[in-house]
Amino acid sequence: MTPVPHATSTAPGTAIADTAALLDDLRAIGEDLPGFDLPADRDPAKVWSERKLDYRLVSPLNRRKFTVIVVGTGLAGAGCAAALGELGYRVEAFTFHDAPRRAHSVAAQGGINAARARKVDNDSLARFVKDTVKGGDFRGREADAWRLGEESIRVIDHMEAIGAPFAREYGGQLATRSFGGVQVSRTYYTRGQTGQQLQVAASQALLRQVAAGTVTLHTRSEMLDLIVSDGRAQGIVVRDLLTGRIRPVTAHAVVLATGGYGNVYFKSTLAKNSNVTAAFRAHRRGAHFANPCLIQFHPTALPVSSPWQSKTILMSESLRNDGRIWVPVEPGDPRPANDIPEAERDYYLERRYPAFGNLTPRDVASRAARDEIVAGRGVGPLKNSVYLDFADAIARVGKKVITERYGNLFEMYTDATGEDPYTEPMRIAPGAHFAMGGLWSDYDLMTSIPGLFVGGEAGWGYHGANRLGANSLLSACVDGWFTLPFSVPNHLATLLGSDRLALDDPAVTEAVRRTEDGVRALLEIGGSQGPDRFHRRLGELLYDKCGVSRSGPELAAGIEQVRAIREEFWSDLRVEGRPDGFNQEIERAGRVADYLDMAELMCLDALDRDESCGAHFRTEHQTPQGEAQRDDVHWRFASAWERMADGRYRRHQEPLNFVSVPLQTRDYR
Ligand SMILES: Cc1cc2nc3c(=O)[nH]c(=O)nc-3n(C[C@H](O)[C@H](O)[C@H](O)COP(=O)(O)OP(=O)(O)OC[C@H]3O[C@@H](n4cnc5c(N)ncnc54)[C@H](O)[C@@H]3O)c2cc1C
């Protein structure tokens, strides 16, 4: 059977002509960003240790003179706040949750990668970097991948030491397993609860600092604006979600570790409250937004079963170690899975990618599943999924072993669907998941606003155009524990002797006024539709126009439609209740307002990037086999968008060069 190339709505090369006028209207081209230009004669493996040596230090007695705001208490934020607190800085930590351990990181299931190469399978730090850079389709910064790999070795020991109970082999060594996009076993895990165990450990480390008095924790507090004065970030404006009180907090530096924006799609695998507000409001104040269109669709989400559901659930990628993915050969085959004989099943990933099989990277697996569904071979009541089958694995290693490996995931699946994955195959489908885009930052994780740092999924680092499984918990930990605690002090050292911005400074009062006006404006619209109605429509539109695959004309139409929804939002939104008190409608309305602008930026970035790379699949740019066709001549850079005063955008470029991993076409066959 030949693979199904994606439907192409325009002849190659015509999209840019059709959309050039729209692009010109929407965006200007700015200058290149300094980024990180690695000279060919410099060993990338040494860059991080050299940079650490270059960093300025703050002596222990001076540290308590500095205050740092950390927004977010997920893996990245909790690690950063705890480490800075332990070092002796004063930290103000914020989360909109009622407790740090409820951050979205708690939901991660599968595992965390480390280049420790403890299995004799030919893994190494260099191979980790190669897999990561190649997996990201050469649209990430190579030097970042080296830091990620190098610090990964420390991360596992550190997280274990502070309480993460990693799984062990019989002989006592930490156990590992494989994830998509690699052929070695480098993923450390705690059954299907890795995020939860890491988050519990990180939260406890944070609370230890709260008890020690170095960290002040503000729960139920949502950052709604960034205070920029003298050209640098000096504070934030927060709304107390219980009382509605809006107040400013100032500091010498601000760290945003506020997670990813995949929920812009409404139905996503993320926690329902994850959002883009903190990052987008920093973007409005001048922080560049990098690669916003690079969104990962996870191949093992549960299929949508009703138009009214509010999210999709993820089945961990680790299941692809033992589960085999297939569809019936006959389109529309009505038979139950177990009645379809072996000869009439198409194990399409094993067929198309024999070298990686079911462990192809997520973008490849998601596109392949979508091809099968579009070609009519989807399964389940809505014909919108593919099978993930454990029958072979159970026959090979027994049910007990499979239960030990994935028991809680199987229980979760049964709870969600009422089906028993031990006796009939799971049904899975691509779902919006991880944001490779985020606030642009330099190698020190500082954004384009001096003094504003970013960590974890809120940033753009490491993953390029496609994030390999189990590299995200790692990046959150590396940023939080082993990068920001060195790079933030490097900035603070230049501010010795300076006070925090006074609360009556005009920059502060202006930011507070702006925030109060913003909340009031939402309440005063007085229309007829609640915020979720707009969000749901926006999500459907994005899945359609800026989803697993995109085309120039579709994206151009998407921009028009996003604008129409936004106009309707600002004239017909209804927010019940009062501003001064607990009011979740206000919270949601503010987040949806930001999503509407974010969606436009995502479509613009996708329209602008006239190539296919990783998760960004432009139907105009595909090989005859239906694979993504990159254009390194014109697009070997990260786009970093600046928002102009009139609401249009200016694109800056960080050129990307690759020294240790030469440019190559991704091939998982
Ligand atoms: C279902 C699922 C499973 C996953 N499994 C894996 C896996 O197995 N391996 C892997 O590597 N990755 C996995 N990931 C990805 C990974 O979990 C995330 O990328 C990572 O946890 C993000 O951590 P973070 O610290 O950046 O952000 P988060 O954990 O999302 O934390 C964000 C924090 O910011 C706070 N916040 C946000 N906005 C504001 C605001 N405006 N004001 C105040 N506070 C705010 C929140 O309250 C929260 O404390 C998974 C993701 C999902 C959705």
Side-chain angles (χ1 to χ4, degrees), residues 72-73 75-76 95 97 104-105 108 110-111 223 269 314 433-434 457 470 472-473:
T73 59
L75 269 183
T95 170
H97 288 102
H104 158 72
S105 291
M223 169 191 158
T269 61
L314 183 77
H433 181 59
F434 180 86
E457 198 177 332
S472 173
L473 293 177

mmCIF file with all atom_site columns, all heavy atoms in Angstrom, residues 72-73 75-76 95 97 104-105 108 110-111 223 269 314 433-434 457 470 472-473, ligand 1:
data_model
loop_
_atom_site.group_PDB
_atom_site.id
_atom_site.type_symbol
_atom_site.label_atom_id
_atom_site.label_alt_id
_atom_site.label_comp_id
_atom_site.label_asym_id
_atom_site.label_entity_id
_atom_site.label_seq_id
_atom_site.pdbx_PDB_ins_code
_atom_site.Cartn_x
_atom_site.Cartn_y
_atom_site.Cartn_z
_atom_site.occupancy
_atom_site.B_iso_or_equiv
_atom_site.pdbx_formal_charge
_atom_site.auth_seq_id
_atom_site.auth_comp_id
_atom_site.auth_asym_id
_atom_site.auth_atom_id
_atom_site.pdbx_PDB_model_num
ATOM   1   N N   . GLY A 1 72  ? 5.053  31.141 38.485 1.00 0.00 ? 72  GLY A N   1
ATOM   2   C CA  . GLY A 1 72  ? 4.892  29.731 38.116 1.00 0.00 ? 72  GLY A CA  1
ATOM   3   C C   . GLY A 1 72  ? 5.628  28.844 39.102 1.00 0.00 ? 72  GLY A C   1
ATOM   4   O O   . GLY A 1 72  ? 6.786  29.112 39.453 1.00 0.00 ? 72  GLY A O   1
ATOM   5   N N   . THR A 1 73  ? 4.942  27.797 39.549 1.00 0.00 ? 73  THR A N   1
ATOM   6   C CA  . THR A 1 73  ? 5.571  26.858 40.481 1.00 0.00 ? 73  THR A CA  1
ATOM   7   C C   . THR A 1 73  ? 5.507  25.433 39.930 1.00 0.00 ? 73  THR A C   1
ATOM   8   O O   . THR A 1 73  ? 5.406  24.475 40.680 1.00 0.00 ? 73  THR A O   1
ATOM   9   C CB  . THR A 1 73  ? 4.881  26.904 41.865 1.00 0.00 ? 73  THR A CB  1
ATOM   10  O OG1 . THR A 1 73  ? 3.498  26.581 41.667 1.00 0.00 ? 73  THR A OG1 1
ATOM   11  C CG2 . THR A 1 73  ? 5.020  28.263 42.508 1.00 0.00 ? 73  THR A CG2 1
ATOM   12  N N   . LEU A 1 75  ? 7.514  22.564 37.378 1.00 0.00 ? 75  LEU A N   1
ATOM   13  C CA  . LEU A 1 75  ? 8.878  22.049 37.568 1.00 0.00 ? 75  LEU A CA  1
ATOM   14  C C   . LEU A 1 75  ? 9.921  23.138 37.380 1.00 0.00 ? 75  LEU A C   1
ATOM   15  O O   . LEU A 1 75  ? 10.882 23.235 38.135 1.00 0.00 ? 75  LEU A O   1
ATOM   16  C CB  . LEU A 1 75  ? 9.140  20.925 36.575 1.00 0.00 ? 75  LEU A CB  1
ATOM   17  C CG  . LEU A 1 75  ? 8.796  19.530 37.060 1.00 0.00 ? 75  LEU A CG  1
ATOM   18  C CD1 . LEU A 1 75  ? 9.172  18.515 36.008 1.00 0.00 ? 75  LEU A CD1 1
ATOM   19  C CD2 . LEU A 1 75  ? 9.488  19.216 38.380 1.00 0.00 ? 75  LEU A CD2 1
ATOM   20  N N   . ALA A 1 76  ? 9.727  23.994 36.354 1.00 0.00 ? 76  ALA A N   1
ATOM   21  C CA  . ALA A 1 76  ? 10.728 25.032 36.104 1.00 0.00 ? 76  ALA A CA  1
ATOM   22  C C   . ALA A 1 76  ? 10.700 26.094 37.202 1.00 0.00 ? 76  ALA A C   1
ATOM   23  O O   . ALA A 1 76  ? 11.747 26.459 37.762 1.00 0.00 ? 76  ALA A O   1
ATOM   24  C CB  . ALA A 1 76  ? 10.487 25.675 34.734 1.00 0.00 ? 76  ALA A CB  1
ATOM   25  N N   . THR A 1 95  ? 1.701  31.683 41.912 1.00 0.00 ? 95  THR A N   1
ATOM   26  C CA  . THR A 1 95  ? 0.984  30.681 41.122 1.00 0.00 ? 95  THR A CA  1
ATOM   27  C C   . THR A 1 95  ? -0.503 30.960 41.224 1.00 0.00 ? 95  THR A C   1
ATOM   28  O O   . THR A 1 95  ? -0.970 31.432 42.255 1.00 0.00 ? 95  THR A O   1
ATOM   29  C CB  . THR A 1 95  ? 1.263  29.245 41.606 1.00 0.00 ? 95  THR A CB  1
ATOM   30  O OG1 . THR A 1 95  ? 0.348  28.355 40.951 1.00 0.00 ? 95  THR A OG1 1
ATOM   31  C CG2 . THR A 1 95  ? 1.080  29.077 43.103 1.00 0.00 ? 95  THR A CG2 1
ATOM   32  N N   . HIS A 1 97  ? -2.547 28.585 41.131 1.00 0.00 ? 97  HIS A N   1
ATOM   33  C CA  . HIS A 1 97  ? -3.103 27.406 41.799 1.00 0.00 ? 97  HIS A CA  1
ATOM   34  C C   . HIS A 1 97  ? -3.201 27.633 43.307 1.00 0.00 ? 97  HIS A C   1
ATOM   35  O O   . HIS A 1 97  ? -2.630 28.579 43.833 1.00 0.00 ? 97  HIS A O   1
ATOM   36  C CB  . HIS A 1 97  ? -2.208 26.190 41.530 1.00 0.00 ? 97  HIS A CB  1
ATOM   37  C CG  . HIS A 1 97  ? -2.315 25.691 40.132 1.00 0.00 ? 97  HIS A CG  1
ATOM   38  N ND1 . HIS A 1 97  ? -1.361 25.963 39.173 1.00 0.00 ? 97  HIS A ND1 1
ATOM   39  C CD2 . HIS A 1 97  ? -3.263 24.953 39.519 1.00 0.00 ? 97  HIS A CD2 1
ATOM   40  C CE1 . HIS A 1 97  ? -1.723 25.393 38.023 1.00 0.00 ? 97  HIS A CE1 1
ATOM   41  N NE2 . HIS A 1 97  ? -2.876 24.779 38.208 1.00 0.00 ? 97  HIS A NE2 1
ATOM   42  N N   . HIS A 1 104 ? 0.676  22.195 36.251 1.00 0.00 ? 104 HIS A N   1
ATOM   43  C CA  . HIS A 1 104 ? 0.404  21.230 35.203 1.00 0.00 ? 104 HIS A CA  1
ATOM   44  C C   . HIS A 1 104 ? 1.459  20.121 35.087 1.00 0.00 ? 104 HIS A C   1
ATOM   45  O O   . HIS A 1 104 ? 1.153  18.996 34.676 1.00 0.00 ? 104 HIS A O   1
ATOM   46  C CB  . HIS A 1 104 ? 0.252  21.953 33.865 1.00 0.00 ? 104 HIS A CB  1
ATOM   47  C CG  . HIS A 1 104 ? 0.484  21.077 32.703 1.00 0.00 ? 104 HIS A CG  1
ATOM   48  N ND1 . HIS A 1 104 ? -0.419 20.113 32.332 1.00 0.00 ? 104 HIS A ND1 1
ATOM   49  C CD2 . HIS A 1 104 ? 1.534  20.966 31.876 1.00 0.00 ? 104 HIS A CD2 1
ATOM   50  C CE1 . HIS A 1 104 ? 0.069  19.452 31.305 1.00 0.00 ? 104 HIS A CE1 1
ATOM   51  N NE2 . HIS A 1 104 ? 1.249  19.953 31.008 1.00 0.00 ? 104 HIS A NE2 1
ATOM   52  N N   . SER A 1 105 ? 2.705  20.407 35.478 1.00 0.00 ? 105 SER A N   1
ATOM   53  C CA  . SER A 1 105 ? 3.765  19.386 35.396 1.00 0.00 ? 105 SER A CA  1
ATOM   54  C C   . SER A 1 105 ? 3.339  18.075 36.053 1.00 0.00 ? 105 SER A C   1
ATOM   55  O O   . SER A 1 105 ? 3.832  16.997 35.698 1.00 0.00 ? 105 SER A O   1
ATOM   56  C CB  . SER A 1 105 ? 5.045  19.872 36.106 1.00 0.00 ? 105 SER A CB  1
ATOM   57  O OG  . SER A 1 105 ? 5.638  20.931 35.408 1.00 0.00 ? 105 SER A OG  1
ATOM   58  N N   . ALA A 1 108 ? 2.352  15.016 33.784 1.00 0.00 ? 108 ALA A N   1
ATOM   59  C CA  . ALA A 1 108 ? 3.239  14.288 32.867 1.00 0.00 ? 108 ALA A CA  1
ATOM   60  C C   . ALA A 1 108 ? 3.383  12.840 33.314 1.00 0.00 ? 108 ALA A C   1
ATOM   61  O O   . ALA A 1 108 ? 3.501  12.553 34.500 1.00 0.00 ? 108 ALA A O   1
ATOM   62  C CB  . ALA A 1 108 ? 4.595  14.969 32.802 1.00 0.00 ? 108 ALA A CB  1
ATOM   63  N N   . GLY A 1 110 ? 5.043  9.952  31.151 1.00 0.00 ? 110 GLY A N   1
ATOM   64  C CA  . GLY A 1 110 ? 5.969  8.968  30.610 1.00 0.00 ? 110 GLY A CA  1
ATOM   65  C C   . GLY A 1 110 ? 7.364  8.935  31.187 1.00 0.00 ? 110 GLY A C   1
ATOM   66  O O   . GLY A 1 110 ? 7.891  7.874  31.521 1.00 0.00 ? 110 GLY A O   1
ATOM   67  N N   . GLY A 1 111 ? 8.043  10.083 31.305 1.00 0.00 ? 111 GLY A N   1
ATOM   68  C CA  . GLY A 1 111 ? 9.401  10.011 31.807 1.00 0.00 ? 111 GLY A CA  1
ATOM   69  C C   . GLY A 1 111 ? 10.237 11.227 31.467 1.00 0.00 ? 111 GLY A C   1
ATOM   70  O O   . GLY A 1 111 ? 9.763  12.172 30.848 1.00 0.00 ? 111 GLY A O   1
ATOM   71  N N   . MET A 1 223 ? -0.594 36.634 37.535 1.00 0.00 ? 223 MET A N   1
ATOM   72  C CA  . MET A 1 223 ? 0.117  37.770 36.946 1.00 0.00 ? 223 MET A CA  1
ATOM   73  C C   . MET A 1 223 ? -0.666 38.260 35.728 1.00 0.00 ? 223 MET A C   1
ATOM   74  O O   . MET A 1 223 ? -0.969 37.490 34.822 1.00 0.00 ? 223 MET A O   1
ATOM   75  C CB  . MET A 1 223 ? 1.511  37.335 36.509 1.00 0.00 ? 223 MET A CB  1
ATOM   76  C CG  . MET A 1 223 ? 2.195  38.379 35.674 1.00 0.00 ? 223 MET A CG  1
ATOM   77  S SD  . MET A 1 223 ? 3.678  37.750 34.919 1.00 0.00 ? 223 MET A SD  1
ATOM   78  C CE  . MET A 1 223 ? 3.864  38.899 33.560 1.00 0.00 ? 223 MET A CE  1
ATOM   79  N N   . THR A 1 269 ? -4.266 18.411 25.490 1.00 0.00 ? 269 THR A N   1
ATOM   80  C CA  . THR A 1 269 ? -3.906 17.475 26.553 1.00 0.00 ? 269 THR A CA  1
ATOM   81  C C   . THR A 1 269 ? -3.508 18.194 27.833 1.00 0.00 ? 269 THR A C   1
ATOM   82  O O   . THR A 1 269 ? -3.219 17.551 28.834 1.00 0.00 ? 269 THR A O   1
ATOM   83  C CB  . THR A 1 269 ? -2.721 16.607 26.098 1.00 0.00 ? 269 THR A CB  1
ATOM   84  O OG1 . THR A 1 269 ? -1.620 17.496 25.829 1.00 0.00 ? 269 THR A OG1 1
ATOM   85  C CG2 . THR A 1 269 ? -3.035 15.802 24.865 1.00 0.00 ? 269 THR A CG2 1
ATOM   86  N N   . LEU A 1 314 ? -4.382 12.482 27.536 1.00 0.00 ? 314 LEU A N   1
ATOM   87  C CA  . LEU A 1 314 ? -3.200 11.901 26.905 1.00 0.00 ? 314 LEU A CA  1
ATOM   88  C C   . LEU A 1 314 ? -2.920 10.507 27.437 1.00 0.00 ? 314 LEU A C   1
ATOM   89  O O   . LEU A 1 314 ? -3.008 10.261 28.634 1.00 0.00 ? 314 LEU A O   1
ATOM   90  C CB  . LEU A 1 314 ? -1.979 12.796 27.202 1.00 0.00 ? 314 LEU A CB  1
ATOM   91  C CG  . LEU A 1 314 ? -0.712 12.312 26.532 1.00 0.00 ? 314 LEU A CG  1
ATOM   92  C CD1 . LEU A 1 314 ? -0.745 12.669 25.066 1.00 0.00 ? 314 LEU A CD1 1
ATOM   93  C CD2 . LEU A 1 314 ? 0.503  12.927 27.179 1.00 0.00 ? 314 LEU A CD2 1
ATOM   94  N N   . HIS A 1 433 ? -0.834 19.564 21.972 1.00 0.00 ? 433 HIS A N   1
ATOM   95  C CA  . HIS A 1 433 ? -0.122 19.148 23.177 1.00 0.00 ? 433 HIS A CA  1
ATOM   96  C C   . HIS A 1 433 ? 0.916  20.164 23.656 1.00 0.00 ? 433 HIS A C   1
ATOM   97  O O   . HIS A 1 433 ? 0.657  20.935 24.559 1.00 0.00 ? 433 HIS A O   1
ATOM   98  C CB  . HIS A 1 433 ? 0.535  17.793 22.869 1.00 0.00 ? 433 HIS A CB  1
ATOM   99  C CG  . HIS A 1 433 ? 1.302  17.191 23.986 1.00 0.00 ? 433 HIS A CG  1
ATOM   100 N ND1 . HIS A 1 433 ? 0.717  16.888 25.203 1.00 0.00 ? 433 HIS A ND1 1
ATOM   101 C CD2 . HIS A 1 433 ? 2.597  16.822 24.101 1.00 0.00 ? 433 HIS A CD2 1
ATOM   102 C CE1 . HIS A 1 433 ? 1.625  16.360 26.002 1.00 0.00 ? 433 HIS A CE1 1
ATOM   103 N NE2 . HIS A 1 433 ? 2.782  16.324 25.364 1.00 0.00 ? 433 HIS A NE2 1
ATOM   104 N N   . PHE A 1 434 ? 2.046  20.213 23.016 1.00 0.00 ? 434 PHE A N   1
ATOM   105 C CA  . PHE A 1 434 ? 3.197  20.921 23.598 1.00 0.00 ? 434 PHE A CA  1
ATOM   106 C C   . PHE A 1 434 ? 3.576  22.119 22.728 1.00 0.00 ? 434 PHE A C   1
ATOM   107 O O   . PHE A 1 434 ? 3.577  22.030 21.494 1.00 0.00 ? 434 PHE A O   1
ATOM   108 C CB  . PHE A 1 434 ? 4.382  19.954 23.688 1.00 0.00 ? 434 PHE A CB  1
ATOM   109 C CG  . PHE A 1 434 ? 5.622  20.573 24.271 1.00 0.00 ? 434 PHE A CG  1
ATOM   110 C CD1 . PHE A 1 434 ? 5.812  20.607 25.635 1.00 0.00 ? 434 PHE A CD1 1
ATOM   111 C CD2 . PHE A 1 434 ? 6.582  21.142 23.445 1.00 0.00 ? 434 PHE A CD2 1
ATOM   112 C CE1 . PHE A 1 434 ? 6.952  21.195 26.172 1.00 0.00 ? 434 PHE A CE1 1
ATOM   113 C CE2 . PHE A 1 434 ? 7.722  21.719 23.967 1.00 0.00 ? 434 PHE A CE2 1
ATOM   114 C CZ  . PHE A 1 434 ? 7.900  21.750 25.332 1.00 0.00 ? 434 PHE A CZ  1
ATOM   115 N N   . GLU A 1 457 ? 8.364  25.405 29.669 1.00 0.00 ? 457 GLU A N   1
ATOM   116 C CA  . GLU A 1 457 ? 7.609  25.411 28.409 1.00 0.00 ? 457 GLU A CA  1
ATOM   117 C C   . GLU A 1 457 ? 7.220  26.825 27.967 1.00 0.00 ? 457 GLU A C   1
ATOM   118 O O   . GLU A 1 457 ? 6.875  27.033 26.804 1.00 0.00 ? 457 GLU A O   1
ATOM   119 C CB  . GLU A 1 457 ? 6.370  24.518 28.553 1.00 0.00 ? 457 GLU A CB  1
ATOM   120 C CG  . GLU A 1 457 ? 5.798  24.119 27.210 1.00 0.00 ? 457 GLU A CG  1
ATOM   121 C CD  . GLU A 1 457 ? 4.604  23.177 27.315 1.00 0.00 ? 457 GLU A CD  1
ATOM   122 O OE1 . GLU A 1 457 ? 4.510  22.424 28.298 1.00 0.00 ? 457 GLU A OE1 1
ATOM   123 O OE2 . GLU A 1 457 ? 3.770  23.209 26.384 1.00 0.00 ? 457 GLU A OE2 1
ATOM   124 N N   . ALA A 1 470 ? 9.838  13.118 26.455 1.00 0.00 ? 470 ALA A N   1
ATOM   125 C CA  . ALA A 1 470 ? 10.629 13.096 27.692 1.00 0.00 ? 470 ALA A CA  1
ATOM   126 C C   . ALA A 1 470 ? 11.758 14.132 27.732 1.00 0.00 ? 470 ALA A C   1
ATOM   127 O O   . ALA A 1 470 ? 12.549 14.138 28.664 1.00 0.00 ? 470 ALA A O   1
ATOM   128 C CB  . ALA A 1 470 ? 11.179 11.693 27.965 1.00 0.00 ? 470 ALA A CB  1
ATOM   129 N N   . SER A 1 472 ? 10.922 17.359 27.738 1.00 0.00 ? 472 SER A N   1
ATOM   130 C CA  . SER A 1 472 ? 10.335 18.583 28.280 1.00 0.00 ? 472 SER A CA  1
ATOM   131 C C   . SER A 1 472 ? 10.463 18.670 29.793 1.00 0.00 ? 472 SER A C   1
ATOM   132 O O   . SER A 1 472 ? 10.836 19.712 30.339 1.00 0.00 ? 472 SER A O   1
ATOM   133 C CB  . SER A 1 472 ? 8.869  18.682 27.885 1.00 0.00 ? 472 SER A CB  1
ATOM   134 O OG  . SER A 1 472 ? 8.317  19.778 28.545 1.00 0.00 ? 472 SER A OG  1
ATOM   135 N N   . LEU A 1 473 ? 10.154 17.577 30.485 1.00 0.00 ? 473 LEU A N   1
ATOM   136 C CA  . LEU A 1 473 ? 10.386 17.588 31.935 1.00 0.00 ? 473 LEU A CA  1
ATOM   137 C C   . LEU A 1 473 ? 11.852 17.910 32.181 1.00 0.00 ? 473 LEU A C   1
ATOM   138 O O   . LEU A 1 473 ? 12.211 18.640 33.100 1.00 0.00 ? 473 LEU A O   1
ATOM   139 C CB  . LEU A 1 473 ? 10.033 16.226 32.538 1.00 0.00 ? 473 LEU A CB  1
ATOM   140 C CG  . LEU A 1 473 ? 8.551  15.839 32.514 1.00 0.00 ? 473 LEU A CG  1
ATOM   141 C CD1 . LEU A 1 473 ? 8.371  14.431 33.079 1.00 0.00 ? 473 LEU A CD1 1
ATOM   142 C CD2 . LEU A 1 473 ? 7.710  16.833 33.308 1.00 0.00 ? 473 LEU A CD2 1
HETATM 143 C C1  . LIG B 2 .   ? -0.653 15.078 29.754 1.00 0.00 ? 1   LIG B C1  1
HETATM 144 C C2  . LIG B 2 .   ? 0.781  15.470 29.577 1.00 0.00 ? 1   LIG B C2  1
HETATM 145 C C3  . LIG B 2 .   ? 1.785  14.534 29.743 1.00 0.00 ? 1   LIG B C3  1
HETATM 146 C C4  . LIG B 2 .   ? 3.114  14.899 29.582 1.00 0.00 ? 1   LIG B C4  1
HETATM 147 N N1  . LIG B 2 .   ? 4.079  13.960 29.752 1.00 0.00 ? 1   LIG B N1  1
HETATM 148 C C5  . LIG B 2 .   ? 5.380  14.314 29.629 1.00 0.00 ? 1   LIG B C5  1
HETATM 149 C C6  . LIG B 2 .   ? 6.412  13.358 29.830 1.00 0.00 ? 1   LIG B C6  1
HETATM 150 O O1  . LIG B 2 .   ? 6.159  12.202 30.121 1.00 0.00 ? 1   LIG B O1  1
HETATM 151 N N2  . LIG B 2 .   ? 7.691  13.760 29.701 1.00 0.00 ? 1   LIG B N2  1
HETATM 152 C C7  . LIG B 2 .   ? 8.019  15.048 29.394 1.00 0.00 ? 1   LIG B C7  1
HETATM 153 O O2  . LIG B 2 .   ? 9.207  15.363 29.295 1.00 0.00 ? 1   LIG B O2  1
HETATM 154 N N3  . LIG B 2 .   ? 7.058  15.987 29.232 1.00 0.00 ? 1   LIG B N3  1
HETATM 155 C C8  . LIG B 2 .   ? 5.755  15.646 29.348 1.00 0.00 ? 1   LIG B C8  1
HETATM 156 N N4  . LIG B 2 .   ? 4.784  16.599 29.168 1.00 0.00 ? 1   LIG B N4  1
HETATM 157 C C9  . LIG B 2 .   ? 5.175  18.010 29.008 1.00 0.00 ? 1   LIG B C9  1
HETATM 158 C C10 . LIG B 2 .   ? 5.553  18.585 30.372 1.00 0.00 ? 1   LIG B C10 1
HETATM 159 O O3  . LIG B 2 .   ? 4.679  18.087 31.348 1.00 0.00 ? 1   LIG B O3  1
HETATM 160 C C11 . LIG B 2 .   ? 5.479  20.113 30.416 1.00 0.00 ? 1   LIG B C11 1
HETATM 161 O O4  . LIG B 2 .   ? 6.098  20.671 29.292 1.00 0.00 ? 1   LIG B O4  1
HETATM 162 C C12 . LIG B 2 .   ? 6.174  20.646 31.668 1.00 0.00 ? 1   LIG B C12 1
HETATM 163 O O5  . LIG B 2 .   ? 5.658  20.006 32.819 1.00 0.00 ? 1   LIG B O5  1
HETATM 164 C C13 . LIG B 2 .   ? 6.015  22.145 31.791 1.00 0.00 ? 1   LIG B C13 1
HETATM 165 O O6  . LIG B 2 .   ? 6.552  22.568 33.029 1.00 0.00 ? 1   LIG B O6  1
HETATM 166 P P1  . LIG B 2 .   ? 6.620  24.104 33.378 1.00 0.00 ? 1   LIG B P1  1
HETATM 167 O O7  . LIG B 2 .   ? 7.266  24.211 34.707 1.00 0.00 ? 1   LIG B O7  1
HETATM 168 O O8  . LIG B 2 .   ? 7.242  24.840 32.253 1.00 0.00 ? 1   LIG B O8  1
HETATM 169 O O9  . LIG B 2 .   ? 5.109  24.615 33.435 1.00 0.00 ? 1   LIG B O9  1
HETATM 170 P P2  . LIG B 2 .   ? 3.817  24.117 34.254 1.00 0.00 ? 1   LIG B P2  1
HETATM 171 O O10 . LIG B 2 .   ? 4.033  22.852 34.996 1.00 0.00 ? 1   LIG B O10 1
HETATM 172 O O11 . LIG B 2 .   ? 2.696  24.207 33.285 1.00 0.00 ? 1   LIG B O11 1
HETATM 173 O O12 . LIG B 2 .   ? 3.641  25.227 35.350 1.00 0.00 ? 1   LIG B O12 1
HETATM 174 C C14 . LIG B 2 .   ? 3.147  26.503 35.052 1.00 0.00 ? 1   LIG B C14 1
HETATM 175 C C15 . LIG B 2 .   ? 3.029  27.275 36.342 1.00 0.00 ? 1   LIG B C15 1
HETATM 176 O O13 . LIG B 2 .   ? 2.787  28.637 36.036 1.00 0.00 ? 1   LIG B O13 1
HETATM 177 C C16 . LIG B 2 .   ? 1.709  29.119 36.790 1.00 0.00 ? 1   LIG B C16 1
HETATM 178 N N5  . LIG B 2 .   ? 1.119  30.195 36.005 1.00 0.00 ? 1   LIG B N5  1
HETATM 179 C C17 . LIG B 2 .   ? 0.825  30.216 34.682 1.00 0.00 ? 1   LIG B C17 1
HETATM 180 N N6  . LIG B 2 .   ? 0.367  31.417 34.324 1.00 0.00 ? 1   LIG B N6  1
HETATM 181 C C18 . LIG B 2 .   ? 0.373  32.174 35.440 1.00 0.00 ? 1   LIG B C18 1
HETATM 182 C C19 . LIG B 2 .   ? 0.011  33.503 35.713 1.00 0.00 ? 1   LIG B C19 1
HETATM 183 N N7  . LIG B 2 .   ? -0.440 34.327 34.750 1.00 0.00 ? 1   LIG B N7  1
HETATM 184 N N8  . LIG B 2 .   ? 0.118  33.955 36.982 1.00 0.00 ? 1   LIG B N8  1
HETATM 185 C C20 . LIG B 2 .   ? 0.579  33.141 37.970 1.00 0.00 ? 1   LIG B C20 1
HETATM 186 N N9  . LIG B 2 .   ? 0.947  31.877 37.772 1.00 0.00 ? 1   LIG B N9  1
HETATM 187 C C21 . LIG B 2 .   ? 0.836  31.405 36.515 1.00 0.00 ? 1   LIG B C21 1
HETATM 188 C C22 . LIG B 2 .   ? 0.820  27.929 37.042 1.00 0.00 ? 1   LIG B C22 1
HETATM 189 O O14 . LIG B 2 .   ? 0.014  28.159 38.169 1.00 0.00 ? 1   LIG B O14 1
HETATM 190 C C23 . LIG B 2 .   ? 1.889  26.850 37.263 1.00 0.00 ? 1   LIG B C23 1
HETATM 191 O O15 . LIG B 2 .   ? 2.351  26.928 38.595 1.00 0.00 ? 1   LIG B O15 1
HETATM 192 C C24 . LIG B 2 .   ? 3.441  16.233 29.278 1.00 0.00 ? 1   LIG B C24 1
HETATM 193 C C25 . LIG B 2 .   ? 2.428  17.178 29.100 1.00 0.00 ? 1   LIG B C25 1
HETATM 194 C C26 . LIG B 2 .   ? 1.111  16.786 29.211 1.00 0.00 ? 1   LIG B C26 1
HETATM 195 C C27 . LIG B 2 .   ? 0.060  17.793 28.913 1.00 0.00 ? 1   LIG B C27 1
#
